[in-house]
Amino acid sequence: MSSLGASFRLARAGWVLVREGVVAALPGDQLEGLPKIGWQVARLLTRRRARKSVRSDRLAKAVARLGPSYVKLGQFLATRPDVVGDDIALDLALLQDSMATFPMSEAVEAIEGSLGRKVSDLYLSIGAPIAAASIAQVHPAEVATPEGPRKVAVKVIRPGVRRRFFQDLESYFLAARLQERFVPSSRRLRPVEITETMAQTTKIEMDFRLEAAAYSELGENTRDDPGFRVPSVDWERTGRDVLTMEWIDGVKLNDIEGLRAAGFDLQAIAATLVQSFLRHTLRDGFFHADMHPGNMFVDANGDIVAVDLGISGRLGKKEQRFLAEILYGFITRNYMRVAEVHFEAGYVPRHHNVAAFAQAIRAIGEPIHGQPAETISMAKLLTLLFEVTELFDMETRPELVLLQKTMVVVEGVARTLDPAFNMWKTAEPVVGNWIAGNLGPRGLMIDARDGLGALLSLARQAPDLSARAERLSREIDAMAENGLRFDAATARAIGKAEARHTRSGRIALWVIALTLVYIAWQLL
């Protein structure tokens, strides 16, 4: 029944997207065959009012009708321009605060249920919500401290959002499986894996204790950084459904006139923003992955304060080195080294030719060096690089795409603050310091220390590994003598999987048929 329910919910979502003109707004002129016919039918079924609105308005109306879980889906897809395209990702990013607020009584109930105390015991006062998004809304409040009352921000989860999201998640997985089955070209993008990533990301985002931990970690990493910080967390008043943190008084980065009126140096803020982001990615391997201007303030001291850390990104040492070396390779025009880094990281399959890949990268890098420095976009360079890697069978790397998306946003904010912003000049000190510290003599010593630690860990595990190897050897000998056999549980699991696969296909066909009947009835 869950598959049937997911099919109907998916059909309803498709109908809403068609009626609100979202499908018609997609670029369908280059399509052929059935997809082209479907796009043309979608244009005919679009509401008259929707035809007159811009695409971002159509998206906003569609997700408002579909509910909070689809707003969250839109926000997640805004982080995947490789899947939906840059233009649609930009439109989806505008949906950050498009939800209506929920009643104060429900917020109080969520706070008391999560913290196990009365609101009057937790806060001196708590006000009406001032902002609402897909998962939560924010209230101003005051708490008692030895120094006197202190203003805080209280983030409260939206009632019922978990249940609604996990119901709709079944529809997302159904759509991803159908896409992989019927659109072979999309398999490189791994839609099922993307859906799994979204599910995990949202589970984390809907537990405010984990967001609080992200604030704490980023706060520790940036404690001594110039010009950047995050709010402090009030752990006593933080639980799964509520997050209490420092109130930030400042000017949002999207209020350019307000920043000028306050006397801030916009060029310095732009440089601080980009250098801070690069430090977080290269030095710490942990970065704020939703740095749109609505999530960043400039306080009275001129420091950038980043909020809403529900989405964060991590890079391992391999990814940090990959990013630094490709940026440095483009700066120095060492295209062969950029190509070698891709192969060393395992991002491009070994059966491809390194020199041919270097040639493709040169086609990206050479036009850049003929332009004025302030017109060169590092984010655009990474976008072009990932487009070229598609030709060489490089599969989607979620951690790199999230990095790319965030860099696009950060660079865009910096250029809004300073139209003549020189990305390369600003980035060079941070990238250069990382290269010197990690690929020079000190870097070799660090790698040697890490290698020695790994050898010691392997030595401690030697008895267990030896026992496992002996057991595996016996199992291989038995398999060679008796052949490969399935136990009863494995056979039943295979049978159930095949039956479920066939049943899902039949259900999808019935839902499509019923949807067509419903559409025809609506048109009568």
Side-chain angles (χ1 to χ4, degrees):
M1 289 301 293
S2 60
S3 296
L4 183 60
S7 300
F8 274 108
R9 284 192 292 271
L10 186 61
R12 175 182 174 272
W15 174 246
V16 171
L17 293 175
V18 167
R19 292 291 283 164
E20 294 298 339
V22 176
V23 177
L26 299 176
D29 294 327
Q30 304 301 319
L31 297 176
E32 296 179 356
L34 286 176
K36 180 68 172 286
I37 295 173
W39 178 72
Q40 292 172 336
V41 170
R43 296 183 66 185
L44 294 174
L45 296 176
T46 301
R47 295 178 189 272
R48 290 184 179 179
R49 287 175 296 179
R51 295 173 187 172
K52 299 177 182 179
S53 59
V54 297
R55 184 175 58 199
S56 57
D57 290 340
R58 299 180 190 184
L59 280 169
K61 291 178 181 177
V63 296
R65 287 184 61 186
L66 292 171
S69 58
Y70 278 86
V71 174
K72 176 49 58 184
L73 173 63
Q75 292 172 354
F76 178 82
L77 290 177
T79 70
R80 301 303 306 266
D82 62 319
V83 177
V84 299
D86 292 336
D87 293 339
I88 295 177
L90 183 61
D91 289 342
L92 290 170
L94 300 175
L95 303 174
Q96 297 293 332
D97 299 307
S98 62
M99 300 300 296
T101 60
F102 52 88
M104 189 72 181
S105 59
E106 295 183 354
V108 170
E109 183 180 351
I111 293 171
E112 293 180 346
S114 182
L115 300 179
R117 296 166 61 185
K118 292 288 187 182
V119 166
S120 57
D121 295 335
L122 294 164
Y123 307 101
L124 295 175
S125 64
I126 183 167
I130 57 172
S134 59
I135 286 180
Q137 66 185 24
V138 178
H139 299 255
E142 284 190 338
V143 298
T145 68
E147 294 78 24
R150 177 168 59 91
K151 192 173 183 180
V152 294
V154 183
K155 185 175 181 180
V156 186
I157 198 162
R158 186 174 290 276
V161 69
R162 290 191 182 91
R163 176 183 54 80
R164 177 66 184 272
F165 176 79
F166 288 116
Q167 282 181 346
D168 288 335
L169 191 61
E170 295 177 355
S171 304
Y172 304 159
F173 273 110
L174 176 59
R177 288 193 294 268
L178 290 174
Q179 183 180 353
E180 282 198 351
R181 183 177 180 183
F182 296 110
V183 188
S185 61
S186 71
R187 292 171 189 163
R188 186 188 70 88
L189 300 174
R190 299 185 287 187
V192 172
E193 184 175 324
I194 289 173
T195 307
E196 290 171 348
T197 303
M198 177 192 173
Q200 181 62 23
T201 300
T202 308
K203 285 179 184 177
I204 293 173
E205 194 174 356
M206 287 192 289
D207 188 334
F208 292 161
R209 295 167 297 189
L210 300 181
E211 182 177 351
Y215 276 114
S216 178
E217 181 176 353
L218 191 58
E220 289 181 3
N221 292 343
T222 61
R223 182 183 294 116
D224 300 322
D225 287 0
F228 183 94
R229 69 184 184 92
V230 293
S232 59
V233 174
D234 184 339
W235 285 98
E236 180 187 353
R237 298 170 178 84
T238 293
R240 188 185 71 151
D241 297 340
V242 57
L243 168 60
T244 303
M245 62 189 134
E246 172 190 357
W247 180 269
I248 301 299
D249 280 317
V251 184
K252 283 190 176 183
L253 281 191
N254 55 7
D255 184 2
I256 303 299
E257 294 304 319
L259 293 170
R260 286 200 182 100
F264 294 120
D265 185 341
L266 301 190
Q267 294 179 342
I269 292 173
T272 298
L273 175 65
V274 170
Q275 290 182 345
S276 296
F277 171 70
L278 289 173
R279 284 193 197 96
H280 304 162
T281 55
L282 295 177
R283 181 193 64 194
D284 308 322
F286 179 66
F287 59 94
H288 191 315
D290 196 17
M291 295 181 72
H292 67 82
N295 278 346
M296 291 180 287
F297 298 81
V298 179
D299 65 14
N301 297 323
D303 294 338
I304 297 172
V305 186
V307 299
D308 196 359
L309 247 172
I311 303 176
S312 56
R314 291 190 182 274
L315 296 180
K317 285 191 175 182
K318 182 175 75 172
E319 289 78 24
Q320 291 170 273
R321 179 169 182 164
F322 172 78
L323 174 63
E325 288 218 58
I326 63 171
L327 293 179
Y328 198 70
F330 275 107
I331 291 172
T332 59
R333 300 175 71 178
N334 189 348
Y335 304 120
M336 180 58 74
R337 182 55 192 155
V338 176
E340 289 171 349
V341 168
H342 278 79
F343 280 79
E344 290 172 5
Y347 293 155
V348 178
R350 289 286 179 181
H351 65 267
H352 286 291
N353 184 278
V354 178
F357 188 55
Q359 179 184 354
I361 291 174
R362 180 180 292 272
I364 298 172
E366 284 302 296
I368 289 176
H369 286 280
Q371 300 179 29
E374 63 270 14
T375 66
I376 300 174
S377 168
M378 185 183 296
K380 182 64 175 176
L381 183 148
L382 289 180
T383 301
L384 292 173
L385 180 61
F386 292 156
E387 288 177 358
V388 165
T389 55
E390 180 180 352
L391 300 175
F392 289 82
D393 302 321
M394 176 176 168
E395 292 189 340
T396 295
R397 306 291 306 187
E399 70 280 7
L400 296 182
V401 174
L402 187 59
L403 169 71
Q404 173 203 350
K405 171 262 177 183
T406 309
M407 185 170 287
V408 168
V409 173
V410 169
E411 186 176 30
V413 174
R415 291 192 187 279
T416 302
L417 295 167
D418 178 12
F421 181 71
N422 188 326
M423 186 69 175
W424 295 103
K425 183 177 179 180
T426 305
E428 187 174 5
V430 179
V431 177
N433 286 341
W434 192 95
I435 293 289
N438 290 272
L439 301 184
R442 189 177 70 179
L444 292 176
M445 293 180 63
I446 293 173
D447 289 344
R449 182 197 64 191
D450 293 344
L452 180 61
L455 286 174
L456 291 174
S457 177
L458 185 63
R460 284 194 294 268
Q461 298 176 47
D464 184 49
L465 292 174
S466 177
R468 290 183 184 180
E470 183 180 357
R471 186 165 58 250
L472 179 61
S473 177
R474 289 198 302 267
E475 291 175 355
I476 291 175
D477 289 341
M479 191 183 302
E481 182 178 348
N482 303 318
L484 181 63
R485 296 182 178 182
F486 290 132
D487 59 22
T490 302
R492 284 195 300 269
I494 293 174
K496 287 181 179 179
E498 288 297 321
R500 184 167 57 250
H501 185 70
T502 304
R503 186 168 60 251
S504 297
R506 290 199 304 267
I507 290 172
L509 290 174
W510 272 106
V511 169
I512 291 170
L514 291 172
T515 303
L516 291 174
V517 171
Y518 174 75
I519 292 172
W521 178 74
Q522 289 283 328
L523 295 175
L524 292 178

